[in-house]
Amino acid sequence: QSTWGPHSVVDMGFVSAICSLLSVAVLSLGFAIVALQTFPELRHQAFAALCTNCLSKNAAMNALRCELVRNATGTVLEIGVGPAGNLGCMASSGRVSRYIGVENNEAFFAEIELQRSRHMAETPFQLIASGAEHIPSVANASVDSFISTHVLCSVRDLDAVLAEATRVLRPGGKFFFLEHVLAGDDEWLLRSVQRAIEPLWTIVGDGCRFVETWKELDKLAAAGLFDVEYKRVDAPISIFIAKPHVIGVATRRTG
């Protein structure tokens, strides 16, 4: 005698509905990823919206970032301005005399202007629509503070960016950085997950990758160009694969 009853029919219908919903969700996600990969402007706009939204919802991360960048003084050059979350942090210190921002994603420009009007309306302000690898309009040894927060993971040529930081900073100038990084060898499982998900992460993150940034900073110190101080931390963010961070300051040597 069959054990199937009327409740079994309902149960199977529920399971079928769930499977259908999951299929639609997976297909929708797939189409979204393909669209982001195929249309750069759409990817830039989506990334700008994501960054702006995240900035407004993580007070702990904002506090960590502000604790670093509020130490900037004098003429400041910030690469990868993004949604301009650092402007308020720097303005609160009252020690910035001129601000130069470098940003190549035009989808951020409206938010940058909004934050400028709120926090730096009286400060000489320049926005350069460019990547950070080559900034010829900024003169040699003309900058007191160089800022990079969540940028070095997505630049095309990290060595070129660090060479620009070296070129534009005055002797004694400060390079402030906060970057998410590839997990260390001692965190092999997390490191493996980062490597596995990186192709997808790079699309959603508009070029962002998991990089051993601290090794490049060590090279700057070894070359005698900077005195580098940093620490590796787990950032207060919910996305566990992006928790490994490096934060610190590199001071341009005078010799």
Side-chain angles (χ1 to χ4, degrees), residues 108-127:
F108 282 117
F109 287 4
E111 184 66 21
I112 293 172
E113 174 56 26
L114 176 62
Q115 297 302 322
R116 183 205 67 79
S117 65
R118 286 177 176 173
H119 303 293
M120 287 193 173
E122 305 302 321
T123 302
F125 190 99
Q126 179 184 6
L127 180 62

Side-chain angles (χ1 to χ4, degrees), residues 5-81:
H7 294 293
S8 298
V9 175
V10 174
D11 292 342
M12 291 303 295
F14 176 75
V15 170
S16 177
I18 292 297
C19 289
S20 296
L21 288 173
L22 288 174
S23 298
V24 170
V26 171
L27 286 172
S28 299
L29 178 61
F31 281 127
I33 295 301
V34 170
L36 290 175
Q37 187 173 23
T38 305
F39 302 104
E41 287 304 316
L42 177 62
R43 184 172 67 248
H44 299 334
Q45 292 171 11
F47 182 67
L50 176 65
C51 289
T52 303
N53 182 63
C54 290
L55 182 68
S56 66
K57 293 183 176 179
N58 193 332
M61 191 67 197
N62 290 341
L64 178 64
R65 189 167 35 75
C66 276
E67 184 181 359
L68 174 74
V69 303
R70 68 164 54 101
N71 294 301
T73 61
T75 297
V76 173
L77 172 62
E78 179 177 12
I79 60 171
V81 181

Side-chain angles (χ1 to χ4, degrees), residues 7 14 18 31-32 54 63 90 101 110 113 131 138 143 148-149 168 174 178 189 218 222 226-227 236-237 240-241 247:
H7 294 293
F14 176 75
I18 292 297
F31 281 127
C54 290
M90 286 183 277
E113 174 56 26
V138 180
V143 169
S148 171
T149 58
V168 302
K174 305 286 186 180
L178 171 64
L189 180 57
D218 289 342
F226 286 86
D227 293 317
I237 54 179
F240 79 97
I241 58 172
I247 182 172

Side-chain angles (χ1 to χ4, degrees), residues 150-182:
H150 296 137
V151 180
L152 300 182
C153 61
S154 58
V155 298
R156 294 180 179 178
D157 187 340
L158 181 53
D159 288 339
V161 173
L162 296 179
E164 282 293 82
T166 303
R167 179 183 69 81
V168 302
L169 275 171
R170 295 187 177 107
K174 305 286 186 180
F175 172 17
F176 300 94
F177 53 88
L178 171 64
E179 302 288 343
H180 84 78
V181 295
L182 185 68

